């Protein structure tokens, strides 16, 4: 399937399938194994993953079909607002939902989105040559990505033009990066890919792309890092990464499913 070649109906079907997968994995996922050989990973809130993982793909699918006024579907925004204020909802989860809603209705500023993302993913490159990144809103879990348990996964977006991820996105392109912490190097698996679906909220342009092993990023010792460059065009881009991760650990390929995670980016 080519970029932009996604019909509204196919978005709906995909959203239903991914939502079912997310709900099933979120409910059955055990806690991250304390002995997993992963570097200083962020704490993962299972309730965050259960609620966001199940609902985010539905948001992406719904946004692809604008309301009568040509704007983002009002019902989906209302549902997100309602989730943010459910009694007992952890404040951090409610803050994420409110950020998603603000991004959809154009009331959230880039600094607000970045603030929420930074609180939920502390792995930030530094230095004069560090890429300009926009982190996904929360870390996620790879179910069984490690021989003795789960792996925490982190994702980010880079807006072109810049050099990361290699070979670098151009103007109007988004670089997507997903890292499965504690694993070995990434392995391409076309039968069970890691997928990103996205929509440019300002133009209505949509697309889907598989994230692949990048020979220039953690390709020898890991952790498993997968990248893609999407032709999103300039604007506000909402994306979700879901599917499967395959890495090589102690000479063997290890495949696993991740709980979907969402990114909000200004391209």
């Amino acid at each position: 399937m080519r970029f932009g070649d996604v019909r509204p109906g196919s978005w709906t079907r995909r959203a239903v399938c991914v939502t079912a997968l997310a709900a099933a994995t979120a409910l059955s996922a055990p806690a991250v194994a304390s002995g997993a050989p992963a570097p200083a990973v962020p704490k993962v809130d299972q309730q965050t993953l259960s609620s966001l993982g199940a609902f985010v793909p539905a948001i992406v699918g719904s946004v692809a079909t604008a309301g009568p006024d040509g704007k983002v579907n009002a019902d989906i925004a209302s549902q997100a607002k309602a989730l943010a204020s459910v009694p007992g909802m952890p404040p951090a989860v409610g803050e994420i939902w409110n950020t998603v809603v603000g991004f959809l209705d154009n009331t959230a500023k880039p600094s607000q989105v970045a603030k929420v993302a930074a609180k939920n993913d502390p792995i930030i490159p530094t230095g004069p040559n560090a890429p300009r990144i926009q982190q996904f809103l929360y870390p996620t879990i790879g179910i069984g990505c490690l021989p003795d348990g789960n792996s925490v996964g982190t994702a980010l977006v880079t807006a072109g033009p810049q050099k990361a991820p290699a070979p670098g996105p151009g103007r109007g392109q988004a670089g997507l990066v997903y890292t499965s912490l504690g694993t070995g190097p990434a392995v391409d698996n076309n039968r069970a890919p890691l997928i990103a679906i996205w929509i440019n909220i300002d133009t209505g342009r949509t697309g889907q792309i598989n994230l692949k092993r990048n020979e220039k990023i953690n390709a020898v010792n890991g952790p498993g890092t997968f990248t893609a460059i999407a032709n999103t065009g300039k604007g506000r881009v909402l994306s979700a990464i879901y599917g499967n991760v395959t890495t090589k650990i102690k000479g063997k390929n290890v495949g696993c499913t991740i709980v979907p995670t969402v990114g909000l980016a200004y391209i």
Side-chain angles (χ1 to χ4, degrees), residues 3-17:
F3 294 135
D5 187 25
V6 182
R7 295 166 294 179
S10 64
W11 276 92
T12 302
R13 289 191 294 273
R14 185 175 298 110
V16 171
C17 293

Side-chain angles (χ1 to χ4, degrees), residues 48 52 91-101 116 120 137-138 262:
T48 300
L52 290 173
V93 182
E95 185 177 11
I96 290 174
W97 277 124
N98 285 326
T99 302
V100 172
V101 175
V116 173
N120 289 282
L137 291 181
Y138 58 94
V262 65

Side-chain angles (χ1 to χ4, degrees), residues 14-226:
R14 185 175 298 110
V16 171
C17 293
V18 178
T19 300
L21 170 62
T25 54
L27 291 173
S28 62
V32 177
S34 59
V41 296
K43 181 179 180 180
V44 178
D45 183 284
Q46 191 64 41
Q47 185 170 355
T48 300
L49 296 179
S50 297
S51 59
L52 290 173
F55 196 64
V56 163
I59 289 179
V60 177
S62 179
V63 171
T65 306
D69 57 359
K71 298 181 180 180
V72 172
N73 187 296
D75 289 339
I76 206 73
S78 296
Q79 290 179 45
K81 288 181 180 178
L83 280 174
S85 59
V86 169
M89 178 68 75
V93 182
E95 185 177 11
I96 290 174
W97 277 124
N98 285 326
T99 302
V100 172
V101 175
F103 190 80
L104 294 177
D105 63 17
N106 207 21
T107 59
K109 298 178 181 179
S111 58
Q112 293 174 310
V113 175
K115 179 181 178 182
V116 173
K119 286 175 63 177
N120 289 282
D121 186 350
I123 302 171
I124 305 173
T126 59
N129 297 318
R132 303 183 304 278
I133 68 173
Q134 300 177 67
Q135 300 166 85
F136 272 48
L137 291 181
Y138 58 94
T140 187
I141 288 179
I143 312 302
C145 285
L146 298 172
D148 54 355
N150 304 325
S151 170
V152 171
T154 63
L156 60 86
V157 180
T158 62
Q162 62 177 302
K163 296 181 180 180
R171 191 172 303 278
Q173 292 184 318
L176 299 163
V177 182
Y178 181 90
T179 302
S180 184
L181 299 176
T183 66
V187 175
D188 285 337
N189 186 344
N190 293 329
R191 298 180 63 181
L194 183 63
I195 302 168
I197 54 176
W198 55 264
I199 179 168
N200 186 319
I201 296 171
D202 295 314
T203 66
R205 188 174 187 178
T206 63
Q208 173 180 313
I209 189 170
N210 290 355
L211 281 72
K212 299 279 191 175
R213 166 189 170 91
N214 191 315
E215 293 295 336
K216 296 185 178 181
I217 305 177
N218 301 331
V220 178
N221 298 316
T225 302
F226 301 79

Side-chain angles (χ1 to χ4, degrees), residues 246-261:
T246 303
T247 62
K248 187 174 290 293
I249 301 177
K250 295 182 179 180
K252 296 182 179 181
N253 287 354
V254 177
C256 60
T257 298
I258 71 164
V259 177
T261 184

